[in-house]
Amino acid sequence: MLYVSQLSKRFGKNEIFSDFNLTIPENKFIVLIGPSGCGKTTLFDVLTGVTPMEKGNILWKGLRVKNLEKRCAYMQQKDLLLPWLTLLENAVLPAEISGADLEKSKIKAESLFKRMGLAGYENFRPHEISGGMRQRCALIRTLMFPHDFILLDEPLSSLDAITRRRLQSLLLLLQTEFSKTLLMITHDIEEALLLADEIYLLSVQPMGIREKFILDSPKPRKFNDPLLLEIEEHVMDVLQGDISGDTGGETGGDKGYRWR
């Protein structure tokens, strides 16, 4: 679905990433994990056209494009709901902006409100509900975009552990029932191991892919498999090494972890 090659970005003398390559297969859940400040969000900004790249190629379904503007939906850490609108009005904003049939869109949104456990809250405003409910509404709004590729930038990081676990199962619905392809940033290693088909462990700046983990067991998963625990410990050791300055060798390799 998406192939990125030799992508480079710098701010002044600060090289964020150089010759960065990434392949996203269709209908896969891909997760990026890396040290804070390594350039993950900047990568999303380049992909979506928020900031221009220095050089590189972006191939979208085989077609070279400048960026993914109008080709993907983007769900961020903050729900970004407009406080003066109701939840339903927030949810149908994509349809309103694109000029789609608003009444049909409201029917679709109301159906999603039922699926996401928000039935009865359509006319509430964001300040009247919890953070988890606001993120569910943001998830509905994301689904209202007519795109089959979704970028997720730590969408659950501001939530408590119980709410977060509930919403993780809803993120899986994007792939299994709505046939979406997902690229997500997270700092939560356990979350990545529970949700991902592939995990890319990123290095410090200039950001590169240090290792790739392929997790091909059925989902939902339970976090009690010895190999999952081994991967978690390994990733934690690598990230702690980055913080201490001990990078532990070259980046860009594939250690071949595979869970069946």
Side-chain angles (χ1 to χ4, degrees), residues 13 31-32 40 50 55 57 62 73 89 100-101 103 107 114 141 154 158 161 174 185 195 205 209 227-228 254 257:
K13 296 181 179 180
V31 175
L32 306 179
K40 300 181 295 297
V50 173
K55 67 172 184 176
N57 301 292
E89 289 169 339
D101 188 308
E103 290 306 313
I107 293 172
K114 293 178 182 178
R141 182 182 57 194
E154 297 192 77
S158 62
L174 295 178
I185 294 170
L195 298 178
Q205 291 182 9
I209 296 175
L227 185 52
L228 285 184
D254 182 347
Y257 285 97

Side-chain angles (χ1 to χ4, degrees), residues 72-88:
C72 69
Y74 190 3
M75 183 175 174
Q76 297 172 291
Q77 178 178 346
K78 295 181 179 180
D79 58 71
L80 301 178
L81 299 179
L82 300 179
W84 58 88
L85 298 181
T86 66
L87 298 189
L88 182 59

Side-chain angles (χ1 to χ4, degrees), residues 10-232:
R10 67 169 59 241
F11 291 111
K13 296 181 179 180
N14 187 20
E15 189 174 49
I16 310 301
F17 43 81
S18 178
D19 294 328
F20 184 83
N21 303 314
L22 184 66
T23 300
I24 307 297
E26 190 171 10
N27 200 32
K28 292 291 186 179
F29 200 138
I30 311 298
V31 175
L32 306 179
I33 295 180
S36 294
C38 71
K40 300 181 295 297
T41 297
T42 300
L43 173 63
F44 276 21
D45 288 343
V46 169
L47 290 177
T48 55
V50 173
T51 185
M53 61 177 142
E54 306 294 332
K55 67 172 184 176
N57 301 292
I58 300 176
L59 293 182
W60 171 253
K61 299 182 178 181
L63 178 67
R64 185 172 179 177
V65 297
K66 186 177 180 180
N67 55 58
L68 300 181
E69 185 184 14
K70 298 181 180 179
R71 295 178 175 89
C72 69
Y74 190 3
M75 183 175 174
Q76 297 172 291
Q77 178 178 346
K78 295 181 179 180
D79 58 71
L80 301 178
L81 299 179
L82 300 179
W84 58 88
L85 298 181
T86 66
L87 298 189
L88 182 59
E89 289 169 339
N90 270 286
V92 298
L93 271 177
E96 191 168 354
I97 292 171
S98 65
D101 188 308
L102 197 55
E103 290 306 313
K104 289 183 178 179
S105 297
K106 286 181 178 179
I107 293 172
K108 178 182 177 181
E110 288 169 349
S111 175
L112 290 171
F113 268 73
K114 293 178 182 178
R115 291 292 306 279
M116 299 294 176
L118 288 178
Y121 290 92
E122 292 86 351
N123 293 318
F124 280 61
R125 284 180 168 74
H127 72 275
E128 298 176 311
I129 59 174
S130 68
M133 295 171 76
R134 289 196 297 270
Q135 281 299 78
R136 275 184 274 169
C137 183
L139 186 56
I140 293 170
R141 182 182 57 194
T142 301
L143 284 169
M144 294 298 293
F145 283 96
H147 305 307
D148 50 8
F149 183 51
I150 298 178
L151 299 176
L152 303 163
D153 190 354
E154 297 192 77
L156 309 182
S157 62
S158 62
L159 304 176
D160 64 87
I162 295 175
T163 302
R164 186 170 187 153
R165 183 57 58 88
R166 289 174 179 169
L167 290 188
Q168 285 170 357
S169 63
L170 295 180
L171 289 183
L172 284 178
L173 287 179
L174 295 178
Q175 179 188 23
T176 58
E177 294 195 28
F178 295 96
S179 299
K180 305 293 185 180
T181 301
L182 306 160
L183 178 60
M184 183 172 81
I185 294 170
T186 184
H187 286 96
D188 189 320
I189 302 170
E190 182 176 334
E191 181 172 84
L193 291 169
L194 291 175
L195 298 178
D197 298 308
E198 298 177 7
I199 298 173
Y200 287 89
L201 178 57
L202 306 174
S203 67
V204 294
Q205 291 182 9
M207 185 179 73
I209 296 175
R210 184 191 296 272
E211 299 177 48
K212 176 182 176 181
F213 304 88
I214 300 172
L215 309 172
D216 51 11
S217 70
K219 294 181 280 186
R221 302 183 182 122
K222 293 184 178 180
F223 198 70
N224 58 2
D225 184 273
L227 185 52
L228 285 184
L229 296 173
E230 179 186 346
I231 295 174
E232 181 190 36

